[in-house]
Amino acid sequence: MKASYKGKLIDVWRISQTAPYPNWVIDAFKKQCLTWLDKQNLQVLIPALDPNWASDSHFYGYGMYATVQVGDVIDHTNGRIIPAERFDKAYRTIGDW
């Protein structure tokens, strides 16, 4: 999905078990960077949100995983997880969800 944030076009995914998945989400599931814990909660490998995480020497250590809920949004372009309420205030969606 596409959205606008601070005037820039970005790739986002509103977390859902039923919505169509963008290709980068499908790849993340295949690599087990995204894992469903139950019907409402998704486990996210945080370093995988950073496009350079496999090639840099940054040590992530503790806090490598986050648990997010259906309705929250992953901003793939900026490597962020955004709660649904904050996304609706700060981002502008482009097209249909």
Side-chain angles (χ1 to χ4, degrees):
M1 318 304 169
K2 297 289 183 188
S4 175
Y5 178 68
K6 295 186 177 180
K8 291 175 46 180
L9 189 63
I10 59 169
D11 288 314
V12 296
W13 175 53
R14 187 174 296 264
I15 298 167
S16 171
Q17 289 193 348
T18 59
Y21 297 151
N23 289 336
W24 60 268
V25 172
I26 294 168
D27 291 341
F29 275 113
K30 286 180 185 175
K31 294 176 185 175
Q32 297 183 343
C33 296
L34 299 175
T35 307
W36 286 109
L37 299 175
D38 55 38
K39 291 183 179 184
Q40 285 294 320
N41 297 295
L42 180 73
Q43 184 177 34
V44 179
L45 177 63
I46 296 297
L49 296 178
D50 179 358
N52 300 315
W53 80 279
S55 62
D56 70 11
S57 61
H58 187 83
F59 177 72
Y60 289 94
Y62 295 106
M64 286 185 60
Y65 292 94
T67 301
V68 295
Q69 296 183 343
V70 168
D72 291 341
V73 178
I74 297 177
D75 174 346
H76 184 249
T77 304
N78 296 309
R80 297 180 185 168
I81 297 171
I82 302 105
E85 312 81 48
R86 198 170 109 217
F87 179 84
D88 294 336
K89 291 178 184 176
Y91 292 72
R92 186 174 55 95
T93 59
I94 298 172
D96 295 332
W97 279 103

